[in-house]
Amino acid sequence: GGITTTHAFGVNYSDQWGKKVVASASYFFNDGISNATENTFRQFLNNGELAQVYAEDQLNNTDNLNHRFNARIEFNLDSANSLLLRPRLTLQKNNGTSATVGQTTLDNNLLSSTDNAYLSDLKGANFNNSLLWRHKFDKKGRSFSLDLGTGYAPKKGNSSLRSIDSYFSGQTLYDSLNQISRLDINSWNVSGNAEYTEPVGENSQVLLNYRASYQQESSDKQTYDFFAPDNGYTLLNEPLTNVFSNDYVTNQAGLGYNISKGRDLNLNVRVNAQWAKLVNDKTFPQPAQFSQTFYNTMPSAMLRYNIDKQHNIRVFYRTNTQLPSVEQLQDVVNNSNPLQLSVGNPDLKQSFQQNLFLRYQATNPEKSSTFFAMIGGGLTGDYIANAMEGDRERCL
């Protein structure tokens, strides 16, 4: 990531308002300035033989500024009911510059070269809110909760690209780019989660839950070339312009089992069945629609075992799905480097991730020492990566 200089400031607040309301809040500001020099040397093979070589030098500078607000307000309505409100707001501003010099060669003969400068100015916000209602029944261990969540995340920005490119094939051909792009991304979501627990025996519980969510993302990217007669950026570049949206609906139901024996043992096992549907809708330049449906079984487990007062073991196993971003789904060309074009893929599937983590801790109060040992790993199915297809990079 280069060398980063960070300036940060934060403040926390906590108080009790009357007898039934407990509130806490925080504000955090940071400004990170990063400088990075990257050198790329890439070899292309054809049937095991060296075909082409691409070499690139790139200088990147970014200034990323964040404001983050969090709050937690708990209302204890009575002995059986409570409300928990958790709003979160993040404001972000990112300015970046990138200067790239690259060339493609074959048998030490120059095929193409580029010298380009890319500038971007992005602004974004992310607001999330969660309202949790919890109810305890008279029977110990029996409870019901309902969690409602909403989110909104707009992102807008401008970028400019100036490039001088040369192509050598018998005779030298020159090309240049002078264009600006405007990006407008909007994302919002709403979700609901219901959970019921029922005691089974003295130390265990059975849990039932159901969750539904809806997420909608839209992206409008417009690219304009400089048009000399108008002395401005007025010529729409249709191949680099795209209006795209996706809708993501999930329904998830599951059950779980908890067992707890004092402070020494706590085991939590869950399994959920998830149905999800992703609909991609492109309206410009050519209308098109793609839809996919996914079915996943998602187990999880957590074990906390205290061997004695000084030694304990923690084991975590989690699974989750990850939706590709709207930028990865858009089949619009990214020409920030004209020699190494990239494009999204509307046929991308959601990825399925599994993670296992084990931690051992030993403490020695007499010596005031602590020993940790940790190991973990992850496995991802339908992993989203980039692949080279000819001279174009594509998500798969």
Side-chain angles (χ1 to χ4, degrees), residues 277-316:
K277 186 174 183 179
L278 174 65
V279 178
N280 303 321
D281 190 8
K282 182 175 69 171
T283 57
F284 187 87
Q286 293 87 26
Q289 189 175 78
F290 314 87
S291 65
Q292 300 183 73
T293 302
F294 310 100
Y295 300 94
N296 294 104
T297 301
M298 303 173 61
S300 65
M302 186 276 290
L303 170 66
R304 186 181 76 243
Y305 177 59
N306 296 327
I307 302 172
D308 53 39
K309 292 183 178 181
Q310 284 78 43
H311 305 83
N312 63 71
I313 294 175
R314 303 287 188 272
V315 181
F316 303 92

Side-chain angles (χ1 to χ4, degrees), residues 346-362:
D347 294 322
L348 288 176
K349 301 179 182 298
Q350 67 177 9
S351 61
F352 181 75
Q353 301 171 346
Q354 302 182 71
N355 294 281
L356 178 63
F357 181 78
L358 170 66
R359 188 186 76 170
Y360 169 76
Q361 178 180 332

Side-chain angles (χ1 to χ4, degrees), residues 212-264:
S213 67
Y214 173 76
Q215 175 179 302
Q216 204 273 343
E217 283 187 294
S218 63
S219 175
D220 184 352
K221 181 180 180 182
Q222 301 178 10
T223 301
Y224 294 88
D225 293 318
F226 183 81
F227 191 49
D230 294 340
N231 194 32
Y233 297 90
T234 57
L235 189 62
L236 181 67
N237 190 319
E238 288 195 6
L240 302 181
T241 297
N242 191 273
V243 180
F244 186 90
S245 68
N246 68 59
D247 296 84
Y248 184 59
V249 180
T250 64
N251 285 275
Q252 180 175 295
L255 56 89
Y257 177 75
N258 302 333
I259 183 170
S260 178
K261 293 186 177 181
R263 297 183 177 181
D264 294 334

Side-chain angles (χ1 to χ4, degrees), residues 30-298:
N30 78 305
D31 183 14
I33 302 172
S34 300
N35 299 296
T37 301
E38 299 181 15
N39 307 105
T40 301
F41 183 80
R42 182 177 294 157
Q43 294 179 317
F44 296 88
L45 303 179
N46 185 15
N47 294 325
E49 300 294 330
L50 183 63
Q52 292 182 3
V53 172
Y54 175 74
E56 176 187 285
D57 296 323
Q58 188 176 82
L59 178 63
N60 297 301
N61 299 288
T62 60
D63 186 356
N64 192 40
L65 189 146
N66 288 278
H67 299 271
R68 189 165 67 240
F69 305 87
N70 290 281
R72 186 182 190 276
I73 306 174
E74 185 170 6
F75 304 85
N76 295 305
L77 304 178
D78 52 42
S79 60
N81 296 278
S82 67
L83 284 176
L84 179 60
L85 179 65
R86 291 172 292 183
R88 298 175 296 277
L89 173 64
T90 301
L91 303 174
Q92 185 178 40
K93 179 177 174 60
N94 182 285
N95 294 317
T97 62
S98 175
T100 304
V101 177
Q103 62 179 23
T104 305
T105 60
L106 176 63
D107 296 330
N108 295 321
N109 295 315
L110 190 61
L111 298 181
S112 58
S113 66
T114 183
D115 186 350
N116 67 71
Y118 179 80
L119 291 84
S120 62
D121 181 8
L122 301 174
K123 297 179 181 179
N126 192 337
F127 176 72
N128 292 279
N129 197 20
S130 172
L131 180 62
L132 173 64
W133 171 58
R134 291 175 292 192
H135 176 75
K136 296 179 181 179
F137 293 91
D138 293 336
K139 186 176 181 179
K140 182 180 178 181
R142 179 181 294 171
S143 67
F144 178 77
S145 65
L146 182 62
D147 191 358
L148 302 177
T150 59
Y152 178 58
K155 183 168 65 175
K156 301 178 184 295
N158 300 293
S159 64
S160 66
L161 173 64
R162 292 192 177 188
S163 176
I164 299 176
D165 310 302
S166 303
Y167 303 90
F168 307 95
S169 178
Q171 59 180 348
T172 303
L173 302 177
Y174 296 98
D175 192 13
S176 63
L177 294 174
N178 185 5
Q179 57 191 207
I180 63 170
S181 296
R182 300 186 180 97
L183 181 66
D184 187 356
I185 296 178
N186 285 285
S187 174
W188 65 274
N189 65 79
V190 60
S191 64
N193 185 72
E195 187 171 284
Y196 174 78
T197 62
E198 177 68 24
V200 180
E202 184 178 352
N203 301 313
S204 58
Q205 291 176 311
V206 172
L207 178 147
L208 300 174
N209 74 283
Y210 174 75
R211 175 181 172 82
S213 67
Y214 173 76
Q215 175 179 302
Q216 204 273 343
E217 283 187 294
S218 63
S219 175
D220 184 352
K221 181 180 180 182
Q222 301 178 10
T223 301
Y224 294 88
D225 293 318
F226 183 81
F227 191 49
D230 294 340
N231 194 32
Y233 297 90
T234 57
L235 189 62
L236 181 67
N237 190 319
E238 288 195 6
L240 302 181
T241 297
N242 191 273
V243 180
F244 186 90
S245 68
N246 68 59
D247 296 84
Y248 184 59
V249 180
T250 64
N251 285 275
Q252 180 175 295
L255 56 89
Y257 177 75
N258 302 333
I259 183 170
S260 178
K261 293 186 177 181
R263 297 183 177 181
D264 294 334
L265 175 66
N266 186 279
L267 175 63
N268 182 315
V269 179
R270 295 191 182 190
V271 62
N272 290 293
Q274 185 188 76
W275 171 89
K277 186 174 183 179
L278 174 65
V279 178
N280 303 321
D281 190 8
K282 182 175 69 171
T283 57
F284 187 87
Q286 293 87 26
Q289 189 175 78
F290 314 87
S291 65
Q292 300 183 73
T293 302
F294 310 100
Y295 300 94
N296 294 104
T297 301
M298 303 173 61

